[in-house]
Amino acid sequence: MDVASCSGILPKTKLGGFNLRNSDHAFSTSCSYTRSPTSVSCHSSKDSQVENLTSQPLSLCSSPSNMGKDVLGLSKQCLHKRNTVVKTFCSAGVCTYDNGIAIESHSLVNVEEKVGVLLLNLGGPETLNDVQPFLFNLFADPDIIRLPRLFRFLQRPLAKLISVLRAPKSKEGYAAIGGGSPLRKITDEQAHALKVALESKNISTNVYVGMRYWYPFTEEAIRQIKRDRITRLVVLPLYPQFSISTTGSSIRVLNSLFRKDAYLSRLPVAVIKSWYQREGYIKSMADLIAKELETFSQPAEVMIFFSAHGVPVSYVEDAGDPYKDQMEECIYLIMQELKARGIDNKHTLAYQSRVGPVQWLKPYTDEVLVELGQNGVKSLLAVPVSFVSEHIETLEEIDMEYKHLALESGIENWGRVPALGCTSSFITDLADAVIEALPSATAMSTSLSTSKVVDHDPVRDFIKLFFGSILAFLLLFSPRMISVFRNYLS
Ligand SMILES: C=CC1=C(C)c2cc3[nH]c(cc4nc(cc5[nH]c(cc1n2)c(C)c5CCC(=O)O)C(CCC(=O)O)=C4C)c(C)c3C=C
Ligand SMILES: [Fe+2]
């Protein structure tokens, strides 16, 4: 468990890596972080799951939460006495320490630490010409098409084939929403709003956007972080729930970039793996749902229909993806919040956007909509729940395809909750999540000298490529494979 501690009084304030000069106070504190199972845990949390890039495979690490707030809205954490020194967990520039009395710094001037926040997102094609190469990047990701190790060499040829086959259908979808994905614009707006929210809490940051499959790519964001000489980084995926296919994939990219680079491998980093259970997020979702229910003539009669992006069943059952459990818990928490406000509507959860020939999480959104219509449900409020911006699957799949299907199936009154976007209560909560995560940032332990060096044997590579190509050709053009690829077209 990661624990930050502060001790001593020095002329310059150094809080767990935050070097603060405080012009109003002549006193200051030095903090250090230790990784020790025997240290007192100051930051167990059920709010957001924070971890450092050091741990692989991803293991849960605690995050600071429920912190006392001082007058500036900044937070301080627990106190732990050892001998006569009070060990304190410092968060985002405020520290309490003791040589008998607790002292807080109340104004932060000339913060020497350069804090960065990296927002991770999926990315989307900005024009119709971008659609096929975007799809190629997506399907070339081994966290999206999970091939057995022996067949990994087929990843890129397969991605090429599937992206070419799927592009016409995807293009139709993007054309219907104006010719491209709105993701980049919305994510940039969220980044700006987050920076402003952090500034209002006296935390000066650079906020970066790193997309997994389109511009600005994660690699570009990391290059900029290096150029800016950021000294502490919080990684915040814009997916409330963790999935191997989304947050997991982006973290894998970060891990490989950080492992290869001397500066990055020493940069203290905290990754917020998931944050679906944060009070601010749950309340913001409940606000949007309550507001939208009011647009119906009989709000109490409306079925609340949560629609989450699906993942293949094998992710959950074989690979241990926590996505389904987190999604169900998230829906439970939102419904509890609504109940506390006297809203006790019926609700259900289904999964949308399946692609390809394998089984995805059930029930499927389209099938449930038809059933509900047939069973006499007349009013339905769709709530997209796995993503916090509008995108093709809200604007086209839900607003067009599913709405049409629902009305055709007998549902008469249809509504849809907008994505959170830049809703201020939500952005404020993200800012709090960043502040809470800052102290737990630690550097990647693997140094360049200890990292594994991969040997390339040209003869072995050639043999692999030669036989691989023959095998790929046979596989791709077998009748079974042709029927599999048809599934990517619809
Ligand atoms: C939590 C969100 C998401 C999960 C989980 C997820 C898994 C997943 N997605 C695909 C395949 C496609 N996804 C596509 C677009 C897309 N996916 C998400 C989110 C999640 N994906 C978003 C936000 C978007 C839209 C981006 C935009 O441009 O607006 C697409 C492209 C669109 C299309 O052709 O349908 C594909 C394909 C898989 C296979 C997968 C899990 C394995
Ligand atoms: Fe997707």
Side-chain angles (χ1 to χ4, degrees):
M1 189 164 291
D2 294 312
V3 173
S5 58
C6 308
S7 63
I9 296 180
L10 299 167
K12 186 173 119 187
T13 309
K14 190 169 179 256
L15 303 179
F18 297 85
N19 295 317
L20 310 170
R21 268 185 215 287
N22 191 324
S23 57
D24 298 331
H25 301 278
F27 44 79
S28 51
T29 309
S30 167
C31 309
S32 62
Y33 291 89
T34 54
R35 233 173 203 277
S36 155
T38 54
S39 304
V40 169
S41 165
C42 300
H43 48 288
S44 71
S45 170
K46 58 181 174 52
D47 276 356
S48 36
Q49 293 170 345
V50 182
E51 74 159 33
N52 314 109
L53 273 181
T54 45
S55 45
Q56 186 77 289
L58 301 170
S59 63
L60 276 193
C61 170
S62 52
S63 87
S65 81
N66 304 326
M67 297 180 285
K69 303 274 178 189
D70 75 354
V71 286
L72 292 173
L74 297 167
S75 23
K76 64 176 185 284
Q77 290 230 308
C78 69
L79 244 65
H80 164 53
K81 281 200 187 205
R82 191 160 38 156
N83 302 325
T84 55
V85 179
V86 171
K87 306 215 82 179
T88 308
F89 188 43
C90 317
S91 174
V94 172
C95 182
T96 308
Y97 55 94
D98 192 11
N99 51 1
I101 36 165
I103 306 160
E104 292 175 5
S105 61
H106 283 271
S107 87
L108 308 172
V109 187
N110 291 334
V111 178
E112 285 173 14
E113 187 96 48
K114 274 194 95 177
V115 177
V117 178
L118 173 60
L119 298 182
L120 298 176
N121 213 336
L122 188 118
E126 283 165 66
T127 68
L128 296 185
N129 285 337
D130 297 339
V131 172
Q132 187 273 323
F134 159 77
L135 289 175
F136 172 80
N137 292 339
L138 188 132
F139 290 119
D141 179 357
D143 288 315
I144 287 284
I145 295 190
R146 292 164 56 85
L147 295 174
R149 189 178 287 272
L150 194 63
F151 293 106
R152 291 270 165 84
F153 63 90
L154 286 178
Q155 190 90 40
R156 291 175 70 83
L158 262 180
K160 182 81 189 171
L161 189 70
I162 298 171
S163 63
V164 168
L165 291 176
R166 191 174 171 86
K169 184 186 181 265
S170 283
K171 276 186 186 176
E172 270 177 36
Y174 285 108
I177 62 165
S181 171
L183 257 185
R184 182 174 191 166
K185 181 170 171 284
I186 299 171
T187 312
D188 282 346
E189 287 163 2
Q190 289 171 322
H192 177 71
L194 180 61
K195 182 176 168 61
V196 172
L198 284 162
E199 263 157 20
S200 76
K201 292 169 185 282
N202 283 353
I203 313 291
S204 169
T205 55
N206 286 4
V207 182
Y208 304 87
V209 171
M211 301 292 196
R212 182 65 184 87
Y213 306 118
W214 206 245
Y215 299 94
F217 286 104
T218 309
E219 290 82 350
E220 287 171 53
I222 293 296
R223 274 196 294 275
Q224 192 57 47
I225 284 166
K226 261 186 92 172
R227 277 196 290 271
D228 292 346
R229 305 310 293 174
I230 290 298
T231 60
R232 180 169 292 257
L233 183 68
V234 175
V235 176
L236 175 58
L238 285 174
Y239 310 97
Q241 306 83 11
F242 179 93
S243 167
I244 294 168
S245 60
T246 53
T247 301
S249 169
S250 285
I251 292 177
R252 187 175 51 77
V253 169
L254 287 180
N255 265 316
S256 72
L257 293 172
F258 276 60
R259 214 176 299 121
K260 287 184 229 150
D261 186 282
Y263 158 78
L264 294 170
S265 61
R266 281 197 287 269
L267 175 65
V269 183
V271 182
I272 303 175
K273 277 182 67 186
S274 64
W275 40 270
Y276 65 92
Q277 71 283 59
R278 289 188 66 84
E279 209 179 308
Y281 165 71
I282 296 294
K283 287 202 153 112
S284 304
M285 286 297 290
D287 290 346
L288 291 184
I289 295 170
K291 187 170 169 220
E292 216 54 42
L293 281 174
E294 287 308 314
T295 63
F296 287 81
S297 56
Q298 288 177 301
E301 301 304 310
V302 178
M303 162 79 77
I304 301 174
F305 186 92
F306 292 97
S307 188
H309 196 303
V311 292
V313 170
S314 63
Y315 281 53
V316 175
E317 290 184 359
D318 307 336
D321 198 334
Y323 181 72
K324 181 171 180 279
D325 284 347
Q326 294 193 357
M327 190 58 73
E328 287 169 3
E329 195 189 337
C330 177
I331 305 309
Y332 172 79
L333 292 171
I334 295 172
M335 288 312 298
Q336 287 295 105
E337 175 61 30
L338 287 169
K339 276 195 189 108
R341 301 177 188 194
I343 298 170
D344 204 4
N345 290 46
K346 286 193 179 142
H347 74 281
T348 191
L349 165 66
Y351 293 92
Q352 65 175 86
S353 318
R354 61 188 188 277
V355 187
V358 297
Q359 273 235 3
W360 283 53
L361 289 182
K362 283 187 175 165
Y364 297 146
T365 295
D366 48 1
E367 292 177 1
V368 177
L369 286 175
V370 174
E371 262 169 44
L372 292 175
Q374 285 168 353
N375 293 343
V377 171
K378 293 292 167 215
S379 302
L380 188 138
L381 178 61
V383 186
V385 74
S386 37
F387 212 59
V388 292
S389 12
E390 298 297 345
H391 59 291
I392 189 168
E393 277 135 14
T394 55
L395 301 170
E396 198 271 334
E397 205 171 354
I398 297 184
D399 289 354
M400 298 179 192
E401 289 181 41
Y402 293 147
K403 181 180 176 182
H404 182 74
L405 185 64
L407 297 180
E408 232 182 30
S409 310
I411 288 161
E412 289 166 5
N413 309 302
W414 168 272
R416 204 263 285 176
V417 165
L420 282 164
C422 287
T423 305
S424 70
S425 56
F426 163 60
I427 298 291
T428 303
D429 189 52
L430 287 187
D432 288 339
V434 168
I435 293 170
E436 291 163 26
L438 270 169
S440 61
T442 45
M444 213 177 181
S445 47
T446 348
S447 74
L448 284 177
S449 56
T450 57
S451 60
K452 205 174 144 197
V453 179
V454 181
D455 267 343
H456 278 289
D457 174 351
V459 178
R460 201 182 54 199
D461 287 352
F462 175 78
I463 292 171
K464 258 170 97 177
L465 196 72
F466 181 74
F467 287 106
S469 308
I470 293 173
L471 194 59
F473 185 83
L474 292 175
L475 266 174
L476 291 181
F477 294 99
S478 69
R480 164 98 182 97
M481 274 296 160
I482 287 169
S483 84
V484 162
F485 288 126
R486 266 200 210 108
N487 285 301
Y488 280 101
L489 297 172
S490 56

